[in-house]
Amino acid sequence: NPSLTWRDVKYILAKTADKVDSNDEGQNNHPLGKNLNGHKYRDGWVVNAAGNSFNNFYGFGRVNVDKAVTMAKNLSHNFSTLQIIEHNRPSIDLSVPDNLSSGAIVEIKDENGLTIEAVRLEINISHTRASDVGIEVISPSGTKSILLPINSHIVDKDIENHGFLTNAFFEERSSGTWKIKVIDGQEDHPTLINDIKLKIWGHKK
């Protein structure tokens, strides 16, 4: 179907994928025992507010070629113009409490009413041991995406201008209050949220 765009292809793959490891409910405990009271280390399959299933390990699932080709042959999608909305929060300077699952939350309000195609978080965090840090985004609909699990053993100190892209909010509506949650999974190493940029890719219906 030569009329399809890359956005149509993404839609097709998301809508026709087969869920694999369907019983995956995530992990409450850290694989090396570095747990945090009241905190779930990893989510499994998440069903978002638009009814789409997503998993950090498997994305939308395994590609089903037969279903994808069938949909592609008959699809006459015509998405409206792709919009990219940026919400910048410079110089936040918000401290994150050590070793507490409540973490620190930055809220960002969106009023653009987009149907979401993807969301990207760019963040600057000052830390002496970045492996302690966990990062989550919660959409206005209440869907949570864990972008970085706590106690990850990454070797950097600060997290500087790093971008995390997630498809967990595919087809949800963008309007409302977004929450960016930062958690410090260990003691003795202070965490400071410096800057945040939330980018929302989407279109008007």
Side-chain angles (χ1 to χ4, degrees):
N1 186 343
S3 67
L4 297 180
T5 69
W6 66 269
R7 295 163 68 201
D8 295 320
V9 173
K10 176 178 177 177
Y11 175 87
I12 291 167
L13 293 174
K15 289 299 188 180
T16 59
D18 292 330
K19 185 182 287 187
V20 293
D21 194 9
S22 58
N23 294 322
D24 179 28
E25 297 180 350
Q27 295 173 248
N28 286 319
N29 296 324
H30 190 282
L32 298 178
K34 296 183 178 182
N35 303 316
L36 182 60
N37 187 40
H39 176 73
K40 185 176 182 179
Y41 170 71
R42 179 182 72 84
D43 284 331
W45 283 101
V46 174
V47 180
N48 71 17
N52 295 303
S53 296
F54 184 81
N55 187 303
N56 272 1
F57 280 2
Y58 307 113
F60 296 109
R62 180 179 54 231
V63 173
N64 185 315
V65 176
D66 287 342
K67 288 182 179 179
V69 170
T70 298
M71 180 178 281
K73 286 180 177 179
N74 300 303
L75 190 69
S76 57
H77 238 155
N78 188 15
F79 284 121
S80 59
T81 302
L82 179 65
Q83 298 184 41
I84 303 175
I85 304 298
E86 293 188 7
H87 296 281
N88 296 309
R89 293 289 303 275
S91 304
I92 298 170
D93 297 332
L94 178 64
S95 295
V96 180
D98 276 348
N99 205 33
L100 286 176
S101 61
S102 56
I105 294 176
V106 176
E107 294 186 348
I108 293 176
K109 182 78 171 179
D110 179 84
E111 298 178 347
N112 291 282
L114 297 184
T115 298
I116 297 168
E117 297 183 39
V119 171
R120 177 181 169 92
L121 177 72
E122 297 177 6
I123 191 166
N124 285 309
I125 296 175
S126 295
H127 205 286
T128 55
R129 193 172 63 192
S131 63
D132 296 357
V133 176
I135 302 172
E136 302 174 357
V137 175
I138 301 97
S139 73
S141 299
T143 303
K144 180 181 71 175
S145 179
I146 299 177
L147 304 182
L148 180 67
I150 62 168
N151 303 326
S152 60
H153 283 250
I154 59 175
V155 297
D156 293 325
K157 294 182 179 180
D158 299 332
I159 297 176
E160 296 181 310
N161 296 317
H162 196 89
F164 300 86
L165 187 139
T166 175
N167 287 299
F169 311 115
F170 189 60
E171 292 191 308
E172 287 191 351
R173 303 289 285 176
S174 69
S175 292
T177 301
W178 291 81
K179 296 179 180 179
I180 294 88
K181 183 176 181 180
V182 177
I183 305 162
D184 190 324
Q186 295 288 327
E187 295 180 331
D188 301 327
H189 293 265
T191 306
L192 187 69
I193 305 171
N194 299 316
D195 309 289
I196 284 176
K197 180 184 292 182
L198 185 71
K199 293 184 177 181
I200 303 171
W201 276 265
H203 60 273
K204 297 277 191 178
K205 278 198 171 182

